[in-house]
Amino acid sequence: MSQRQAAMVLLDAVSAFDHEQGDTPENAAAVKLALQRLRDVDAITATIDDGTGEVEVDAVPVLGASLAIITLLARSLAESYNADPDATLATIRETVASFLSD
């Protein structure tokens, strides 16, 4: 499994969302379907130790892909506005914190 494959699946999920429709069940279903491909490309795997029953989850490929995409987008945004990369990241952090709730 490559981080490249995981990145392409994540970008497919972003493109599956129709912004004109907004937050609809159809959009949620389209994104869910796209994200299901993460299993197909083994971006997240789980193994069970038969002896202990312990479950080990490996999400490194999808996390690495996510980090690469976020880094690229943050750098591109900073360059587009001729802004300091650290200040741009701080602004992104504040926006995400206000957008997402715990």
Side-chain angles (χ1 to χ4, degrees), residues 4 22 25 59-60 74 90 94 101:
R4 180 182 180 278
V60 170
E94 290 170 12
S101 60

Side-chain angles (χ1 to χ4, degrees), residues 7-93:
M8 294 303 113
V9 171
L10 292 172
L11 293 172
D12 288 346
V14 171
S15 67
F17 187 87
D18 183 345
H19 292 279
E20 290 182 14
Q21 283 185 355
D23 194 14
T24 64
E26 293 80 13
N27 264 340
V31 172
K32 182 179 179 179
L33 180 63
L35 289 175
Q36 286 175 345
R37 285 221 352 98
L38 289 172
R39 282 186 294 193
D40 298 341
V41 298
D42 292 330
I44 301 170
T45 58
T47 55
I48 300 173
D49 183 312
D50 291 333
T52 65
E54 188 174 307
V55 177
E56 183 178 317
V57 176
D58 179 10
V60 170
V62 74
L63 293 173
S66 299
L67 183 59
I69 291 169
I70 293 167
T71 300
L72 173 66
L73 293 174
R75 286 181 184 170
S76 296
L77 187 59
E79 288 175 12
S80 292
Y81 287 95
N82 201 22
D84 176 68
D86 292 332
T88 301
L89 192 55
T91 300
I92 293 169
R93 185 183 303 271

